[in-house]
Amino acid sequence: METLKYKGQEVEFGDKKYVMPDLPYVAYEEFDAFEKIAKTVMSVAEMESAPFLKPLKKEVFANIRELLYLAIRRNYPELTEEEFKDQINPGNGLAAFKKLVDREIEIQGIIKQVTEKNEETQTEQADKKKNQTIQK
């Protein structure tokens, strides 16, 4: 059994199964992952409401492939982009992208909780300082 560097979700491309971890930080910094995810989700939603009237554009497929490859490559650094292009198709690409988006939503929820907790802590600290100043 293969030892993987990162935990993730199982996805299948062609006849190969992979464990797809979360996107690396560099995907957001250098590849605009968050913007690409948001635009792709909107395009997919439009396409699902009218498949033949609003088909997905080639840029959407390119973004899906790029994001999936960035995630999968974390556990499979030997996987070349050419090999990946040969394995991916619209069906398995969209299925894997949905898993990536579901995880992204989960991560954004975690970030929100941490941010809210930090804001509460900062407010509590500011209130303590204010009360200490008033007591002096």
Side-chain angles (χ1 to χ4, degrees):
M1 177 148 176
E2 189 174 16
T3 302
L4 300 173
K5 192 171 182 180
Y6 302 99
K7 293 179 182 178
Q9 304 174 77
E10 188 173 282
V11 292
E12 191 171 334
F13 299 103
D15 61 348
K16 299 199 178 191
K17 291 183 181 182
Y18 298 96
V19 174
M20 180 178 64
D22 297 340
L23 284 166
Y25 182 84
V26 72
Y28 300 91
E29 185 177 337
E30 294 180 16
F31 296 95
D32 297 319
F34 193 73
E35 182 178 343
K36 288 179 180 179
I37 289 168
K39 285 181 178 181
T40 301
V41 166
M42 289 186 338
S43 294
V44 169
E46 288 177 0
M47 182 269 306
E48 288 175 342
S49 69
F52 294 106
L53 298 176
K54 297 182 181 183
L56 295 177
K57 295 181 179 179
K58 65 181 180 179
E59 293 82 14
V60 173
F61 288 106
N63 287 341
I64 289 170
R65 179 181 40 80
E66 177 185 50
L67 293 168
L68 293 175
Y69 183 67
L70 286 169
I72 290 169
R73 185 120 191 265
R74 295 180 77 197
N75 275 338
Y76 307 91
E78 71 286 349
L79 178 65
T80 67
E81 194 166 0
E82 288 304 312
E83 288 174 304
F84 187 64
K85 283 181 183 179
D86 192 44
Q87 296 171 3
I88 194 170
N89 65 47
N92 63 31
L94 285 168
F97 182 72
K98 181 176 179 352
K99 288 183 177 187
L100 188 77
V101 169
D102 288 346
R103 178 63 180 148
E104 185 68 27
I105 291 168
E106 186 179 327
I107 290 169
Q108 293 303 319
I110 293 167
I111 291 170
K112 183 179 178 185
Q113 289 175 348
V114 169
T115 302
E116 288 172 352
K117 185 176 179 180
N118 286 343
E119 288 173 356
E120 288 173 12
T121 301
Q122 290 175 359
T123 301
E124 289 170 7
Q125 289 173 349
D127 288 346
K128 276 185 182 179
K129 285 183 181 179
K130 184 178 175 182
N131 288 338
Q132 289 172 351
T133 304
I134 292 172
Q135 291 176 358
K136 288 182 182 181

